[in-house]
Amino acid sequence: NFIAPVIGYTGLIQTHIISCEMAGIFTIITCLVFIKKVFNKKRFGELALIVILTAVINAGMLVPFIDYMDEPVKINLGTTYKDGIQHNGAFWAQLFEIFTSVSGYCNSKSVGIPGEMPITTGIAIIAGGIFFAYEWYMGRIDKKWRKTGIFCFLTGCMAFFMSTVYFPWDRIQKMAAIFAKVITSFQFPWRFLTIASVFLTVTTIIAVKCELENEKIKIKAFSIVIVFLAIMQSSWLISGALNSDKERVLWAYEEQSLDTEFLVGGEYLPGIDYNSEHYGTQFSYGSDNISYLELSRNKNIITFSYNNSTDESGYVATSIVYYNGYKTVNKDTGSQLGTYSIDGYLFVEIPPQSSGTYTIRFVQPWYWKVSYIISFLGAAVLTIAIVRSSKLRILKGKTWETNSLSE
């Protein structure tokens, strides 16, 4: 039972930190609602295993992330969302769209329908939620699944509402500083459509499972409708992606851009005084009082030689975005030159009356490397668990077939 949650949470951690924050909030809410089930001896052990194994598998990402959490960061998004995020929410019409564009801007309020991105959970999931509501109203939801189904339905509807321009985000944000900090980090309310999709999918499954025991013909017809809607909408989206004339359906970074903020769009940068004047450019040069020669460059690794015959200190300026961890080392002697940041770029301190050949590179702390090994071991444990689970299912299937034949 722990395999699917571990894979799911790992996917979130490795791809989108804001989604982790949102998923964490709703995970805690779910655990509080089902607190008695959480502290069931067997289930609590499984939940603890999910937490531990997820942390172990993602140690290689979490350790460096935590290491840099105290570093100053410049958010370069054009807005800090201090005035609120509510205006970035979706309208009702957008949530129920069937045919959408494949890509577009995230703030459709300012760009209009032709330039907006898809902002919907998908009509199939919405239909599933409506079907559950109907079955609930008719009293056809099995008692065993009723509490879970109702909770998931109401939570999914709440997340659905939270993604709109009608949810009072701005009013809540003004209530307390902690609310403002959390809410502004969400940036766009429509991110909660991901949460809504998960809960409404569960409600759809419960409705189908309960109805399957009563009216098989009706449920088969409904299942066909759901599958048809899902295939139709996804096919439209995939077709739009494959036939798009935009160049950014698939993104490939040029090698010369890998040492600049261009790699991440310049949205989140280390340091509070970053100067984006040289955005997307690549350079390295020495101060006027030294002779400088760049010998080789491989992404963010630069080898250079210099000669400073004066009694004054000099510097080497590079286009590398400065992070704590860069070192400038002489390969032969192991001696190091100091590195520091000016306007967010990496500078190397050149002492007076000195010369030599040095290499600038990022050097990972030893405990980062240990965390990679831990992640590898965790992934190996998960892989073994998946293989064993698959074998057990195959064996169970063969046992069922044998019993059926014998009967």
Side-chain angles (χ1 to χ4, degrees):
N1 293 332
F2 68 88
I3 294 175
V6 169
I7 293 174
Y9 283 112
T10 295
L12 284 176
I13 292 171
Q14 294 292 333
T15 56
H16 203 248
I17 296 299
I18 297 176
S19 294
C20 288
E21 182 181 332
M22 294 162 59
I25 292 172
F26 279 86
T27 299
I28 292 171
I29 293 172
T30 303
C31 289
L32 290 175
V33 171
F34 296 96
I35 193 71
K36 290 184 179 179
K37 292 186 177 181
V38 168
F39 285 100
N40 173 280
K41 187 176 181 181
K42 182 180 178 182
R43 187 175 289 110
F44 185 81
E46 290 183 346
L47 293 174
L49 180 60
I50 291 169
V51 173
I52 294 170
L53 190 54
T54 301
V56 167
I57 291 174
N58 295 281
M61 183 271 179
L62 293 174
V63 170
F65 179 80
I66 294 171
D67 219 10
Y68 278 112
M69 281 189 69
D70 292 334
E71 295 288 325
V73 176
K74 179 180 180 180
I75 301 176
N76 191 31
L77 298 175
T79 176
T80 58
Y81 304 103
K82 289 182 180 179
D83 297 329
I85 67 169
Q86 190 170 329
H87 66 282
N88 287 329
F91 295 98
W92 289 121
Q94 293 172 308
L95 295 173
F96 292 94
E97 281 184 322
I98 298 177
F99 302 105
T100 64
S101 58
V102 66
S103 64
Y105 292 98
C106 54
N107 190 350
S108 60
K109 189 174 182 179
S110 60
V111 301
I113 291 175
E116 72 183 26
M117 59 178 262
I119 306 177
T120 176
T121 58
I123 197 66
I125 294 176
I126 294 172
I130 294 172
F131 180 68
F132 175 87
Y134 172 75
E135 294 295 299
W136 178 22
Y137 176 76
M138 297 299 292
R140 295 173 181 169
I141 302 300
D142 191 282
K143 186 178 180 181
K144 179 182 178 182
W145 301 101
R146 192 174 300 158
K147 183 179 178 180
T148 302
I150 293 172
F151 169 76
C152 289
F153 175 73
L154 295 178
T155 307
C157 289
M158 176 54 69
F160 203 72
F161 178 49
M162 291 169 71
S163 69
T164 69
V165 294
Y166 312 107
F167 188 81
W169 286 113
D170 294 351
R171 185 178 299 178
I172 297 172
Q173 181 174 327
K174 294 174 183 177
M175 289 181 178
I178 184 65
F179 291 162
K181 186 174 183 180
V182 173
I183 289 173
T184 53
S185 69
F186 295 148
Q187 299 177 339
F188 305 102
W190 45 256
R191 294 189 193 278
F192 284 90
L193 289 175
T194 304
I195 303 296
S197 297
V198 173
F199 284 101
L200 291 178
T201 298
V202 175
T203 63
T204 304
I205 294 170
I206 290 174
V208 170
K209 180 178 179 60
C210 292
E211 189 63 23
L212 191 61
E213 299 173 358
N214 300 319
E215 300 185 35
K216 292 186 178 181
I217 296 177
K218 187 173 73 173
I219 203 63
K220 285 181 180 179
F222 172 74
S223 299
I224 291 171
V225 171
I226 287 285
V227 171
F228 171 76
L229 290 173
I231 292 176
M232 178 187 67
Q233 195 163 35
S234 61
S235 297
W236 178 273
L237 196 67
I238 293 171
S239 175
L242 295 176
N243 293 288
S244 174
D245 57 353
K246 294 185 178 182
E247 298 176 355
R248 297 184 181 182
V249 174
L250 291 177
W251 188 286
Y253 291 103
E254 297 178 358
E255 183 174 307
Q256 62 266 29
S257 299
L258 292 180
D259 68 340
T260 70
E261 78 276 15
F262 183 71
L263 180 61
V264 291
E267 291 186 352
Y268 302 95
L269 300 168
I272 57 176
D273 55 354
Y274 190 87
N275 182 1
S276 58
E277 179 182 350
H278 304 293
Y279 182 90
T281 61
Q282 191 179 69
F283 61 83
S284 71
Y285 59 86
S287 56
D288 294 337
N289 63 322
I290 72 170
S291 60
Y292 171 80
L293 177 63
E294 181 182 298
L295 299 177
S296 66
R297 187 183 194 114
N298 180 21
K299 300 179 178 66
N300 62 337
I301 301 175
I302 300 176
T303 299
F304 67 91
S305 63
Y306 78 91
N307 180 38
N308 183 6
S309 57
T310 69
D311 294 328
E312 297 180 355
S313 298
Y315 63 82
V316 170
T318 74
S319 57
I320 296 175
V321 177
Y322 180 82
Y323 284 87
N324 184 24
Y326 273 99
K327 297 186 183 298
T328 305
V329 183
N330 186 301
K331 184 178 179 181
D332 297 325
T333 64
S335 61
Q336 296 187 29
L337 300 176
T339 58
Y340 57 97
S341 171
I342 293 183
D343 292 338
Y345 294 102
L346 186 146
F347 277 63
V348 180
E349 184 178 1
I350 303 298
Q353 297 293 334
S354 64
S355 62
T357 300
Y358 287 80
T359 298
I360 304 171
R361 67 169 67 239
F362 186 86
V363 179
Q364 302 179 37
W366 64 267
Y367 53 88
W368 285 22
K369 298 176 182 178
V370 172
S371 70
Y372 302 153
I373 297 172
I374 293 172
S375 289
F376 176 79
L377 295 174
V381 170
L382 181 63
T383 303
I384 293 169
I386 292 172
V387 172
R388 289 187 62 186
S389 176
S390 300
K391 286 183 177 179
L392 286 172
R393 289 180 181 178
I394 292 170
L395 289 172
K396 284 182 180 179
K398 288 182 177 179
T399 303
W400 182 84
E401 289 177 2
T402 304
N403 293 335
S404 297
L405 288 171
S406 63
E407 289 175 3

